[in-house]
């Protein structure tokens, strides 16, 4: 059985609900499922998201409407993010984000990414994301984190250069 530190364990996505951050297990899967249904009515979308999220998370009835609003906002944001990622990919430029507050490990991650890019000869836009709220929006709970073309590759550790090079080559 998958434990809390097992990479196969479900990932809790941080979500701001009525001014409080909560972790929602299965949020991305719920969003993808609702997207696949082609729903247009936002009330239906919010209701279906809440129904799916309740399958894996405790949602107090007194806060259900706040969850509906937060889930719908995340759904909209997720759709915009996917559209932006698709536009960036179509432009052909790889995008790499180093997520962390600027600590020693975060700087080491940034340097490792620069070295890996030089070694592979791949051109990419490399960005540092240091704002804690933006880091949380990307689903990173432990820093540093590394995203390549919108996909989280690692969080909580600095991978070796060979590992980063492999991810860069996969993203080309």
């Amino acid at each position: 059985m998958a434990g809390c530190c097992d990479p196969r364990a479900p990932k809790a996505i941080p979500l701001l609900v009525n001014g409080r951050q909560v972790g929602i297990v299965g949020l991305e899967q719920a969003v993808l499922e609702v997207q696949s249904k082609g729903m247009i009515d936002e009330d239906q979308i919010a209701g279906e998201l809440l129904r799916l999220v309740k399958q894996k998370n405790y949602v107090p009835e007194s806060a259900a409407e706040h969850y509906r609003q937060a889930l719908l906002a995340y759904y909209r944001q997720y759709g915009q993010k996917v559209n932006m990622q698709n536009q960036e990919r179509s432009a052909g430029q790889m995008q790499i984000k180093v997520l962390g507050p600027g600590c020693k490990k975060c700087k080491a991650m940034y340097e490792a990414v620069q070295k890996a890019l030089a070694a592979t000869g791949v051109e990419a836009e490399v960005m540092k994301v240091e704002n804690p709220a933006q880091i949380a929006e990307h689903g990173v709970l432990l820093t540093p984190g590394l995203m390549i073309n919108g996909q989280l590759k690692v969080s909580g550790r600095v991978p070796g250069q060979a590992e980063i090079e492999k991810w860069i080559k996969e993203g080309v």
Side-chain angles (χ1 to χ4, degrees), residues 30-171:
V31 167
L32 293 172
E33 186 173 330
V34 171
Q35 282 180 335
S36 73
K37 292 180 179 182
M39 295 179 170
I40 298 171
D41 182 76
E42 289 194 343
D43 193 47
Q44 286 181 332
I45 291 169
E48 184 64 8
L49 285 169
L50 183 61
R51 185 187 73 74
L52 292 168
V53 163
K54 279 183 169 182
Q55 292 175 356
K56 296 181 181 179
N57 302 271
Y58 172 70
V59 177
E61 280 306 313
S62 62
E65 185 55 34
H66 295 293
Y67 273 80
R68 282 173 53 91
Q69 292 170 11
L71 290 167
L72 184 59
Y74 182 87
Y75 181 85
R76 289 183 194 130
Q77 206 173 27
Y78 188 88
Q80 290 173 347
K81 186 168 46 169
V82 168
N83 288 339
M84 284 176 35
Q85 289 169 356
N86 289 340
Q87 289 171 358
E88 288 165 0
R89 282 195 197 116
S90 66
Q93 176 102 23
M94 178 178 285
Q95 185 183 63
I96 299 176
K97 293 181 182 179
V98 176
L99 303 117
C103 65
K104 189 175 182 179
K105 285 185 179 182
C106 300
K107 291 175 184 172
M109 174 84 81
Y110 185 82
E111 290 173 14
V113 165
Q114 294 296 339
K115 289 177 183 176
L117 285 170
T120 59
V122 174
E123 286 189 35
E125 176 186 6
V126 182
M127 295 180 289
K128 291 181 184 179
V129 179
E130 296 180 344
N131 180 304
Q134 290 176 334
I135 293 168
E137 284 176 9
H138 287 85
V140 174
L141 300 176
L142 296 172
T143 59
L146 178 65
M147 292 187 87
I148 299 178
N149 290 336
Q151 201 172 41
L152 184 63
K153 295 295 185 179
V154 68
S155 75
R157 69 178 178 90
V158 178
Q161 185 176 332
E163 196 172 9
I164 296 172
E165 288 177 20
K166 179 181 138 226
W167 292 329
I168 289 171
K169 289 175 186 173
E170 289 172 353

